[in-house]
Amino acid sequence: MGSRSDIAPPPRARPERGLRLWIVPIGLKQALPWTEALAAQLRSVFGGEVIVAPAPFGLEASFDPQRGQYNALELLERLLALPGSQRLLGIVEVDLFIPMLTYVFGQAQLNGRGAILSSYRLDNTIYGLARDDRLRAARIAKEAIHELGHALGLVHCRDPDCVMHSSLYVEEIDLKSAALCACCRRRLREVPTE
Ligand SMILES: [Zn+2]
Ligand SMILES: [Zn+2]
């Protein structure tokens, strides 16, 4: 925590020039039932405009038959090839990997245009536990905010409560909050959104 100045900081990170963000479900005929709630949550954290716009491409080309998973880097590349100046958050329900890791919850282009997120390992049922839609939604929101934070130039944060704290396991996602710490909020305000 930095020292308090006599002028109270705004309650949320709200970039001067509003963020224009598309949530882009990939490999689905229609948006997932939870995407609108996610859009509202991202709007409240980052400000600006958030809309849901399904991808014009599918998942097939990103499937790795040897691993039985989908290549996050390849998908991210296809996502970033979409025209326009808006930021992009790709969302899939399949398991993602990057070549050096067994799996990833998501992947972002640091200081870039976009990020991708998988809901697959955020679901209790794949760990043999009872289904919990509220917990899943909370995890999805945290990871979406985390990956977008990277895309907006934020790096991993040492504050264990901060959403930018890194999480390798799903339990670690549950331990942190969905909020940016004061430090990360301050840094985010300095990031140009265009
Ligand atoms: Zn991260
Ligand atoms: Zn932080």
Side-chain angles (χ1 to χ4, degrees):
M1 283 260 358
S3 60
R4 296 243 154 196
S5 65
D6 40 7
I7 300 165
R12 291 199 171 105
R14 203 164 283 274
E16 288 297 309
R17 287 148 289 175
L19 184 71
R20 287 174 56 241
L21 173 72
W22 285 13
I23 295 178
V24 185
I26 306 171
L28 298 143
K29 287 262 187 301
Q30 57 191 48
L32 297 160
W34 43 265
T35 43
E36 280 304 333
L38 178 63
Q41 198 158 357
L42 292 178
R43 228 173 268 132
S44 86
V45 174
F46 295 107
E49 170 195 270
V50 183
I51 63 161
V52 180
F57 57 87
L59 292 166
E60 307 77 27
S62 310
F63 184 66
D64 184 319
Q66 247 150 22
R67 298 184 57 137
Q69 293 169 296
Y70 292 78
N71 189 323
L73 298 177
E74 199 168 272
L75 273 173
L76 188 56
E77 212 168 283
R78 283 165 161 272
L79 184 71
L80 296 175
L82 293 180
S85 64
Q86 74 286 0
R87 307 281 179 142
L88 303 158
L89 174 68
I91 297 209
V92 301
E93 284 194 306
V94 296
D95 200 18
L96 294 177
F97 76 95
I98 61 172
M100 59 184 289
L101 291 176
T102 315
Y103 64 85
V104 289
F105 298 126
Q107 183 72 19
Q109 188 188 36
L110 184 64
N111 242 321
R113 234 182 113 221
I116 187 158
L117 167 79
S118 163
S119 67
Y120 183 82
R121 289 175 189 265
L122 304 179
D123 188 336
N124 263 0
T125 60
I126 76 145
Y127 305 101
L129 299 168
R131 180 174 159 169
D132 186 336
D133 288 341
R134 276 188 57 190
L135 182 61
R136 181 164 161 271
R139 289 168 174 170
I140 288 169
K142 288 177 191 178
E143 285 311 284
I145 295 164
H146 181 99
E147 294 304 339
L148 281 169
H150 282 318
L152 293 169
L154 297 180
V155 292
H156 284 155
C157 179
R158 262 179 275 169
D159 182 340
D161 276 340
C162 177
V163 74
M164 290 313 293
H165 195 70
S166 90
S167 318
L168 289 176
Y169 304 102
V170 79
E171 295 85 350
E172 294 176 307
I173 300 176
D174 296 340
L175 288 173
K176 67 185 179 184
S177 77
L180 293 161
C181 72
C183 219
C184 288
R185 279 206 307 271
R186 200 177 317 122
R187 224 170 279 143
L188 188 65
R189 278 197 296 273
E190 290 157 10
V191 172
T193 50
E194 287 305 312

